Amino acid sequence: MLEKELVIIGGGPAGYAAGLYAARADIDTMLVERGMPGGQAASTEWIENYPGFPGGVGGVDLAMKMDEQARSFNLDVEFADVERLEQREGGFIVHTTQGSIGTKAVILATGAKPKFLGVEGEGKFHGRGVSYCATCDGAFFRDKTVAVVGGGDSAVEEAIFLTKFAAKVYIVHRRGQLRATKILQKRAVDNPKIEFLWHAVVEEIVGENKVEVIKVKDVQTGDQTRVLVDGIFVYVGTRANSELVQDLVKLDERGYIITDENMSTGIPGLYAAGDVRQKSLRQVVTATADGAIAAVEVEKYLAGHE
C-alpha cells in the first residue's frame, strides 16, 4: 500500500491551495481528484472577484494555473474516486478506485454539489434540457429559449452567460427581488434578452423526448402558467459532499462539516477546507484561504507527531 504524509481529497481551489502549501513545506502529499481540476470554479465561465486578475479570469484557466503551480512544487496528483475513508492507528487509509493510500493526515476539500429542484420531470430530462452548468451546456441552446431557476450570484451570472447563446432567458425566482450582488442585478436587468418571472416556482418539467415546457406557479396567487422553453438551468443552492465522513465528524443540518478556525474537524489529523465546511461565504478566495490554513495546520500536526 502506498504511504503518504498527507492526502488531500478534492482538486478544487481549496484542495490545490492546500497542495501548494503542503508541497512547498516538503510534506509528502498526494491530491486525489475525481474529475477535472478546479471543482465548481472550473464550471464558472468567468471569475471577476479573485485577486490578481484585472478584468477577470476564466474558471478553467484559473484551475489549470492552480494545477500547474502546485505541480511545479512536485505535488503528486492522482485522478480517482475516493470510495471510503478509514481510521487506523496514527492516521487513515484512503480507499480509492486506483488503490489504497495510507496517510498520517487528511484534508477534505470535496466541495459541494448543486441541489435539485425535486420536481416531476427533472430526473427524466437530466441531460436532455435540464442542466446544472451553463458553462458546460450553454452552447447547445443557441438561438433557443431557456429558463434559469434561482436568484443568487450563480443563477444571475449564468443567466447573463446564457444570453451569449440563447435568444431569450427567463429568470425564475420565488421572491420579488434577486439575492445576487448589485452589480450582477444591474447587468441582468439591463440585458434585453432576460425576462424575470417573480414570485414564481417551477412545479413540473414537461416534454416528450426533451424539455418543452415548464409549469410555473405564482406563490402569491397560486396561479399556474405554462412557459415554453428548450432548457432549464437550476441554481437553487448546494449540498455538501460530506458523505465520506458523515459517520466520523460533526455536520450541520445541511451536511456541511463543522470545523474550528484552523480547519480541524476535532479528529486528530483530519481537516476540512473550502465549500464542504460550514461557513458564511463560499467563494474561490475563501476556499483557497481555507486550504492554506489547513496545510499549515497539518505541518504543525505532523511536526508534533514525529
Side-chain angles (χ1 to χ4, degrees), residues 278-297:
Q278 184 189 64
K279 57 195 299 187
S280 61
L281 182 64
R282 292 184 173 88
Q283 295 279 293
V284 175
V285 69
T286 62
T288 55
D290 283 1
I293 292 168
V296 170
E297 291 303 313

Side-chain angles (χ1 to χ4, degrees), residues 167-203:
K168 186 179 187 64
V169 179
Y170 291 102
I171 294 181
V172 184
H173 188 42
R174 67 181 305 121
R175 297 178 179 85
Q177 183 176 346
L178 297 172
R179 293 180 290 107
T181 55
K182 296 297 182 184
I183 188 171
L184 290 175
Q185 290 189 40
K186 186 177 187 309
R187 288 176 185 172
V189 169
D190 290 347
N191 194 308
K193 287 188 175 182
I194 293 177
E195 181 177 334
F196 297 91
L197 301 179
W198 300 113
H199 304 291
V201 294
V202 175
E203 289 205 314

Side-chain angles (χ1 to χ4, degrees), residues 62-101:
L62 181 60
M64 293 300 103
K65 289 179 186 296
M66 288 182 175
D67 180 73
E68 179 184 356
Q69 186 177 10
R71 286 178 187 265
S72 73
F73 290 95
N74 298 316
L75 176 68
D76 196 356
V77 178
E78 177 79 37
F79 291 98
D81 274 315
V82 175
E83 299 175 320
R84 186 161 56 94
L85 179 62
E86 176 187 349
Q87 284 185 281
R88 69 173 183 182
E89 186 176 353
F92 308 88
I93 300 175
V94 181
H95 298 277
T96 83
T97 50
Q98 299 297 320
S100 297
I101 312 159

Side-chain angles (χ1 to χ4, degrees), residues 1 43 47 93 104 114 117 163 171 176 197 234 244 297 300:
M1 181 170 62
S43 67
I47 298 170
I93 300 175
K104 297 175 182 177
L117 285 174
T163 61
I171 294 181
L197 301 179
V234 180
L244 272 178
E297 291 303 313
K300 295 176 185 176

Side-chain angles (χ1 to χ4, degrees), residues 126-154:
H126 188 189
R128 290 185 292 160
V130 175
S131 175
Y132 306 87
C133 178
T135 308
C136 310
D137 300 325
F140 295 118
F141 296 90
R142 191 175 298 277
D143 300 323
K144 296 183 182 295
T145 299
V146 298
V148 172
V149 184
D153 283 356
S154 294

